[in-house]
Amino acid sequence: MDRDLITRICVRTRLWIEGEKKNQGSGLIIQDGASFCVLTAHHCIYGENDDFAGISKDDIWIDHQKEDYKSSFTRIEVDEIVGSNKDQDWALLRIKDPGLNIDFSKVIHGIPTEEGIEVKFCGYQQANPETFRPFDANLLSISEEQFRISLKGKSFSQGSEEGSFIAKGLSGSGVGIEIDGILYLIGILKSVLGDEALNDDIECCAISCLDDISEKPSVELPEITTNDGPLILENLLKGIDWIK
């Protein structure tokens, strides 16, 4: 069975500091023009309180499971820290070509305008950092630079463990909607709300925050589905000059 695109572009992020791997998080691979990049949360690279403010690109480890959730990790080398924003909580890293057999024209940067739709995100929990984990969620609310989602049918809180502990490491996970082999990527996870993951709600950074530094523009998605079924990609992208 083919893996969903959201899981195929998922990566684990870690920092190599004084001989130890620290600050494990998540991220995703995107294509930006002729380059490949990893998008992750700002605090996954620089720390919650800028603990790693002077981090070098050589100290950033990007690990990818190319085959499946049990496959060994391949490290992807970071070429450059392209940019970051602490308030919006994103960081963009240019990487070597990861050698993935993926048609990245089918990964669309989308701006949702419809609340209540189902989305999926995928990342690496610190409680189980050796395998990626996809989650289903609902889009609760939207603002200009961020949006909020809530877990669907499950809870981060498990037994005596607080939800914030179970969710730790998922920051930077890609959030999107996949329809007929097209991934509409709408953003990344920033943080679980509250120490106990109140209502399992998660704040996310919108993918449109990259518009000023990315060659791939965001496309407004007025409705993900219609009475006639999924949106037709050709109609959605009509007039977007970067599609060849």
Side-chain angles (χ1 to χ4, degrees), residues 8-25:
R8 294 181 65 195
I9 62 176
C10 176
V11 297
R12 181 180 67 188
T13 66
R14 291 189 291 182
L15 306 180
W16 185 267
I17 307 292
E18 297 179 351
E20 294 183 13
K21 292 195 174 103
K22 299 184 178 181
N23 208 40
Q24 185 256 303

Side-chain angles (χ1 to χ4, degrees), residues 61-116:
W61 283 59
I62 306 295
D63 298 315
H64 181 248
Q65 289 179 294
K66 187 175 291 188
E67 301 300 328
D68 55 45
Y69 76 102
K70 286 292 188 180
S71 62
S72 59
F73 285 93
T74 300
R75 184 185 176 190
I76 303 174
E77 187 176 344
V78 177
D79 279 340
E80 177 189 7
I81 302 174
V82 178
S84 64
N85 187 297
K86 182 177 180 179
D87 292 334
Q88 296 171 344
D89 204 2
W90 61 263
L92 189 66
L93 317 172
R94 184 166 290 115
I95 58 171
K96 301 290 187 187
D97 187 338
L100 301 183
N101 185 24
I102 292 176
D103 181 358
F104 277 91
S105 70
K106 294 184 177 181
V107 181
I108 308 302
H109 293 186
I111 304 173
T113 59
E114 180 186 6
E115 296 177 349

Side-chain angles (χ1 to χ4, degrees), residues 172-203:
S173 298
V175 185
I177 307 107
E178 193 160 343
I179 302 175
D180 290 346
I182 306 297
L183 174 60
Y184 303 96
L185 185 64
I186 63 173
I188 58 170
L189 264 63
K190 292 168 56 174
S191 63
V192 177
L193 297 182
D195 290 338
E196 297 182 0
L198 181 63
N199 298 322
D200 294 304
D201 291 350
I202 309 167
E203 291 283 6

Side-chain angles (χ1 to χ4, degrees), residues 152-170:
K152 180 182 176 184
K154 292 186 176 68
S155 174
F156 281 133
S157 297
Q158 298 177 17
S160 61
E161 299 289 358
E162 291 185 347
S164 58
F165 171 78
I166 299 297
K168 197 169 182 62
L170 291 172

